[in-house]
C-alpha cells in the first residue's frame, strides 16, 4: 500500500510555484470575500492566506458580517473585477442563505475566477476547454499524477454530485479516459458498485462511510470527506481497515485537503501569467 | 416489451406546440446556418425547416459554401444576434475544419441558443440551472417521461461522451437521480457494465453494436446511434434480438430522431415566451 501523501506533494507544488513567482517577477494578489463566521470557513480562509503569503502572493480579506446585503457583495465583486491590482477573486462558500451564491460566482470575471465555480468556467471544463478548474477536483488529479497513476480505462466510482467537487471532477476523469460512474444519495446498491471499482473517490462527509467490505483488493482510494468528530478531522474512509486492501490511499488529514490549497495558488499563478502575457 | 415510439410522442409534442404558438400569438423565427453540403446535414436541415413551418415557425436558411471564411460566419451570427425578428439561431454541426465550431457556438446570444451548445448554456445545465438544453438529450428524457419511466435510483449505462449528446445527457440523468456510468472508446469490459444496467443509452454509430448478450432482461434500451447501410438508417442496437429481452426500447428510425427535432421546436417556443415576457 502506498500513501497518497498530499501534504508532501502539495508542499513540492507550492515550493515550485514560489520559485516561479520569484523568478518571473509575478505580482499576484488574491482577494477573498468571506461572509459570516462559519468555523470551517475560518480555517480554510486562514490557511489560504497563510499559504499564499508564504509563496509570495499578497492577499486582501474582505470579511463581511452575515447580515450584509447581497447587493453589497455584488458591488464588491464588481469593484474587484475592475481593480487592476487584483489577480484573483475567491468568494468563500458557503454564503448565508440570503445571498445567491450562483449570482456571486457568475459575476466574477472569467480572468479572475480562481475557484472556477462560475457557469462559464464550468461550461468550458465540461466541453473540454478547461481554463479555471475547481481546486479540489484539480488537486485530486494532480495527486494521482504525482504517483504516476494512469486513469485510462480504469473504472472510477465517484460518490458526490456537487457543483464544486463531483461535477468538475467527473469531467476531469472523463478527459483522462477513465470510465466513471457518478453515485449519490439516491444510488441503490452502492457497495456493489464500489466493490467493482478500480478507483473509489468518496466525498460524502460521513465518518467510516467506506468500509473494508466495499473495496476491491488493490483499489485506489481517494478520501475527500471531512467530518469533525470530537475536534478531530476524519474522512469518509475507514482508513485502518481499508488501507490493508488498497494499493493507494489518501490519509485524512494530509491527503486531498492540502492539494486543494496548492491548487488555489496554482490557479492564481496561471491567471497572473495569462495577464502578463496579455 | 413496449416500443418507445418517438414518432408518435414527438407528433403530440409538435401538435401541442403548434396550438400554443397559435393561441399565444407567438411570432417565432429560426435562423439556420448551414455550411457545406454534408448529406446527413442536408436531411436534418430540411427536416427542421419542414417541422418548423408546419408548426407555424418561420425559418431563414443561410446555406454557405464550404470555402466560406470563419470571419464571415462569425459576422453572420453577430448580425442575427442583433436582429430583433430572429428568435433562435442554429449552426448546423459539423462545420468544415477551417471553422472553429466552439467559437461559433459561443458567439450565439444566450437568449437565442436553440441548440444549447454554447459554453454558458452547458455550464448552466451542468450546475443545475438548465436554460437551453441540447435537443437530443432533452428529447430522450422527454421520451422516457412520456412512458412514465422514473429514472430515480436506476443504473444507467450511457455510451457516449460527446459535447452534444453524452455530456448534456449525463447531467439531465443525474438531475433525475439516476446513477450514471459514462462509457466511451477507452472503456474496458463494456459488456460487463451494460449487463448490469437498468437503462442502456447507446450513441456509438456502429450497427448492431449492442447485442442481446449485453443486455439484462427487462432493461430499458435507448438507441441514439445512426448508421447508413445500403441507404438504410440503422441504429446501434440489434433490435430484433435485444427487443425480446428489453422492457422498453426505441426503434431506429422513429425513436430518438424525431424527438430531437421536436425539442428544437420546444426550445424555440421557450425562447419566444421568454422574449415576450421580457
Amino acid at each position: 500500500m502506498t500513501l497518497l501523501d498530499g501534504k508532501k506533494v502539495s508542499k513540492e507544488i507550492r515550493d515550485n510555484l514560489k520559485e516561479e513567482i520569484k523568478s518571473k517577477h509575478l505580482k499576484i494578489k488574491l482577494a477573498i470575500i468571506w461572509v459570516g463566521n462559519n468555523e470551517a470557513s475560518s480555517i480554510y480562509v486562514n490557511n489560504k492566506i497563510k499559504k499564499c503569503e508564504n509563496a509570495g502572493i499578497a492577499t486582501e480579506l474582505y470579511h463581511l458580517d452575515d447580515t450584509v446585503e447581497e447587493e453589497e457583495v455584488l458591488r464588491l465583486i464588481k469593484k474587484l473585477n475592475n481593480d487592476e491590482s487584483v489577480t484573483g477573486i475567491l468568494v468563500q462558500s458557503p454564503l448565508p442563505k440570503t445571498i445567491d451564491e450562483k449570482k456571486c460566482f457568475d459575476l466574477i470575471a472569467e480572468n479572475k475566477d480562481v475557484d472556477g465555480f462560475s457557469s462559464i468556467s464550468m461550461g468550458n471544463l465540461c466541453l473540454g476547454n478547461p481554463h479555471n478548474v475547481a481546486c479540489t477536483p484539480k488537486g485530486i488529479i494532480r495527486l494521482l499524477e504525482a504517483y504516476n497513476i494512469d486513469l485510462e480505462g480504469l473504472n472510477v466510482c465517484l460518490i458526490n454530485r456537487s457543483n464544486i467537487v463531483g461535477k468538475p471532477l467527473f469531467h476531469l476523469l472523463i478527459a483522462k479516459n477513465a470510465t466513471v460512474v457518478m453515485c449519490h444519495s439516491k444510488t441503490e446498491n452502492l457497495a456493489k458498485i464500489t466493490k467493482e471499482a478500480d478507483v473509489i473517490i468518496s466525498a460524502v462527509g460521513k465518518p467510516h462511510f467506506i468500509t473494508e467490505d466495499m473495496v476491491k483488493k488493490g483499489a485506489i482510494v481517494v478520501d475527500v470527506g471531512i467530518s469533525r468528530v470530537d475536534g478531530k478531522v476524519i474522512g469518509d474512509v475507514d482508513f485502518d481497515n481499508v488501507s490493508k486492501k488498497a494499493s493507494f490511499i489518501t490519509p485524512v488529514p494530509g491527503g486531498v485537503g492540502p492539494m486543494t490549497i496548492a491548487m488555489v495558488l496554482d490557479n492564481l499563478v496561471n491567471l497572473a501569467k495569462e495577464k502578463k502575457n496579455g
Side-chain angles (χ1 to χ4, degrees), chain A residues 50-81:
Chain A
K50 202 176 111 194
K51 294 294 192 293
C52 278
E53 303 281 353
N54 283 347
I57 295 173
T59 58
E60 230 168 51
L61 175 61
Y62 296 86
H63 190 182
L64 309 175
D65 198 86
D66 61 5
T67 58
V68 69
E69 303 264 338
E70 180 181 281
E71 200 45 56
E72 198 179 320
V73 179
L74 297 175
R75 237 191 332 260
L76 175 57
I77 294 172
K78 271 184 221 162
K79 194 184 83 119
L80 296 168
N81 279 341

Side-chain angles (χ1 to χ4, degrees), chain A residues 155-174:
Chain A
N155 291 308
V156 179
C157 173
L158 169 58
I159 315 171
N160 184 284
R161 58 170 163 175
S162 73
N163 288 347
I164 63 181
V165 177
K167 287 173 182 175
L169 184 50
F170 174 83
H171 289 288
L172 292 173
L173 293 164
I174 287 291

Side-chain angles (χ1 to χ4, degrees), chain A residues 150-215:
Chain A
D150 181 3
L151 292 163
E152 179 160 318
L154 296 190
N155 291 308
V156 179
C157 173
L158 169 58
I159 315 171
N160 184 284
R161 58 170 163 175
S162 73
N163 288 347
I164 63 181
V165 177
K167 287 173 182 175
L169 184 50
F170 174 83
H171 289 288
L172 292 173
L173 293 164
I174 287 291
K176 287 277 186 189
N177 292 327
T179 299
V180 190
V181 54
M182 182 178 268
C183 299
H184 45 76
S185 56
K186 303 291 182 188
T187 294
E188 292 179 12
N189 293 318
L190 178 66
K192 190 166 178 295
I193 299 172
T194 58
K195 249 184 280 185
E196 288 177 1
D198 303 310
V199 183
I200 299 170
I201 305 177
S202 180
V204 175
K206 288 184 187 161
H208 290 198
F209 181 74
I210 302 291
T211 48
E212 187 196 348
D213 55 304
M214 293 169 75
V215 178

Side-chain angles (χ1 to χ4, degrees), chain A residues 14-30 48-59 87 265 268-269 272:
Chain A
R14 285 186 288 107
D15 286 346
N16 288 337
L17 291 171
K18 184 178 182 169
E19 196 48 47
E20 187 177 2
I21 291 167
K22 207 174 155 191
S23 68
K24 292 188 179 158
H25 308 286
L26 297 172
K27 272 201 71 169
I28 312 184
K29 186 159 79 184
L30 170 66
K48 285 171 195 170
I49 292 175
K50 202 176 111 194
K51 294 294 192 293
C52 278
E53 303 281 353
N54 283 347
I57 295 173
T59 58
T87 317
L265 276 62
L268 279 166
V269 169

